[in-house]
Amino acid sequence: MTFSLKSSVFAAAALSVAAPAIAQEVNIYSYRQPELIAPLTDAFTAETGIKVNVAYLSKGMIERLQSEGDRSPADVVLTVDISRLAAIVNAGLTQPVSSDTLKANVPAQYRDPDANWYGLTTRARIVYASRDRVADGEVTTYEDLADPKWQGRICTRSGTHAYNVALTSAVIEHLGEDGARDWLEGIKSNLARKPQGNDRAQVKAIWAGECDVAIGYTYYMGKMLSDEEQKEWAESVKVVFPTFENGGTHVNISGVAMTKAAPNKENALKLMEFLTSPTAQEIYAKANFEYPIAPGSQPDPLVASWGSFTADDVNLMTLAGHRATALKLTEEVDFDG
Ligand code: FE
């Protein structure tokens, strides 16, 4: 009697040790949409047996992580834009992760020098130029956009939007604070209309004849081409990858970070290594017409068809450090006014 009871207890204990995968999980807080994340988390679970729970947030990630504190269930955060990644790091909500796999998969300019976040995909901030009204080679640099030859011909969204603040931060890095102020003033005096709308609205304005060149992210080309109404807008423009005179094309990133309170640290590291693998990056990039960054990875053929470019090699954390100055300059020149 006693013997058989003991052996069944032993058998139960052995069972739970033998099947740890069932209880294994990892929790993501994501600012990125389910359709981008689901194919990757499904593949990760299939490969590792680790269950992935995702909370999709549209705002308030920092406040939520702060109020949950040490008891936060979040292991990993997924977001886009260096300003958001930097804000989470600067709030003390992440922890550094050291991994040879992560370093091998993510080139140095696309990861935090202190290892608090790693990039996964990029988008380039480019010039959309009218096929009819802008000749090939008429605009090749960001500096060109401030030239008076563009007077009344440029459209853009608000200068205080994160996308343009990141670009202005890159301008500060390359031209200095005074150079960036001149650049913003030059662009402002070339605007066809006050900054308004999103990136796609600028391409629509080119299509409608309101302006000839616009500033926007590459992935919107793919989004417009996939939309019945917006296809015409996309077809009225060509993609130009401007560079800085002393640098490359400005890109921004989507990235991943491990939270400071991560309860499933080992699984979080496995997930991060999986997400940065060339294959996972290619799947993630394709879903939003972005560029994978792992050595040897390739963009989707449609994305590749817009042309190749050399990305600026300034570390994105350096750009995050110029954010406050970029906003200050944008307000000083009354860019949106
Ligand atoms: Fe966007």
Side-chain angles (χ1 to χ4, degrees), residues 9-330:
V9 167
F10 177 78
L15 184 69
S16 72
V17 170
I22 294 167
Q24 293 274 17
E25 60 179 7
V26 64
N27 303 315
I28 301 177
Y29 282 5
S30 176
Y31 271 145
R32 304 213 82 192
Q33 305 92 317
E35 61 270 23
L36 299 180
I37 308 299
L40 292 169
T41 54
D42 289 352
F44 177 71
T45 302
E47 193 177 299
T48 62
I50 299 168
K51 188 178 173 227
V52 183
N53 306 303
V54 191
Y56 293 99
L57 312 177
S58 57
K59 57 179 181 190
M61 193 186 287
I62 286 181
E63 293 73 12
R64 182 159 167 180
L65 289 168
Q66 277 170 337
S67 70
E68 290 169 346
D70 290 346
R71 285 168 305 170
S72 175
D75 296 298
V76 157
V77 297
L78 282 173
T79 186
V80 69
D81 203 284
I82 182 57
S83 63
R84 279 179 164 171
L85 284 165
I88 294 169
V89 171
N90 292 337
L93 295 166
T94 58
Q95 60 176 299
V97 176
S98 143
S99 149
D100 290 343
T101 302
L102 291 176
K103 278 189 193 156
N105 287 342
V106 182
Q109 76 259 40
Y110 303 129
R111 52 180 150 90
D112 179 18
D114 297 327
N116 280 289
W117 56 261
Y118 290 84
L120 297 173
T121 58
T122 62
R123 59 276 299 280
R125 199 132 187 87
I126 52 143
V127 166
Y128 285 109
S130 165
R131 285 192 179 279
D132 298 337
R133 301 183 298 277
V134 179
D136 287 345
E138 211 178 331
V139 52
T140 59
T141 67
Y142 294 105
E143 289 89 339
D144 274 345
L145 295 171
D147 188 292
K149 77 175 175 185
W150 297 109
Q151 197 154 28
R153 298 173 70 190
I154 299 179
C155 281
T156 181
R157 77 192 305 160
S158 166
T160 63
H161 188 275
Y163 296 172
N164 278 343
V165 173
L167 174 59
T168 301
S169 300
V171 176
I172 292 169
E173 177 66 18
H174 286 282
L175 306 182
E177 194 172 326
D178 289 340
R181 188 185 293 104
D182 291 346
W183 183 80
L184 285 167
E185 272 172 352
I187 295 208
K188 187 189 173 185
S189 61
N190 288 339
L191 292 178
R193 58 180 193 178
K194 281 188 183 183
Q196 59 194 270
N198 56 22
D199 280 5
R200 275 184 267 195
Q202 315 314 318
V203 179
K204 183 185 183 184
I206 294 176
W207 168 79
E210 284 183 70
C211 39
D212 296 342
V213 295
I215 299 167
Y217 274 136
T218 38
Y219 64 94
Y220 287 114
M221 191 67 178
K223 286 182 178 277
M224 289 185 291
L225 288 170
S226 318
D227 181 291
E228 208 48 54
E229 187 200 350
Q230 298 173 4
K231 205 167 180 249
E232 263 188 71
W233 312 348
E235 284 167 350
S236 75
V237 296
K238 51 193 170 191
V239 168
V240 177
F241 292 96
T243 64
F244 286 101
E245 280 168 14
N246 62 350
T249 299
H250 169 64
V251 300
N252 209 320
I253 51 167
S254 75
V256 60
M258 193 187 293
T259 63
K260 192 176 182 183
N264 304 291
K265 227 175 132 172
E266 265 179 51
N267 293 346
L269 176 59
K270 278 186 198 154
L271 178 65
M272 288 173 75
E273 290 180 341
F274 175 84
L275 290 175
T276 60
S277 70
T279 310
Q281 283 189 17
E282 284 176 359
I283 295 168
Y284 194 39
K286 181 184 160 119
N288 197 42
F289 310 102
E290 294 179 87
Y291 298 92
I293 55 181
S297 61
Q298 295 296 329
D300 185 62
L302 172 67
V303 175
S305 75
W306 305 331
S308 59
F309 64 98
T310 303
D312 213 22
D313 63 3
V314 175
N315 187 286
L316 289 173
M317 210 54 169
T318 306
L319 297 193
H322 294 318
R323 181 183 152 77
T325 309
L327 270 171
K328 183 194 77 177
L329 294 177
T330 303

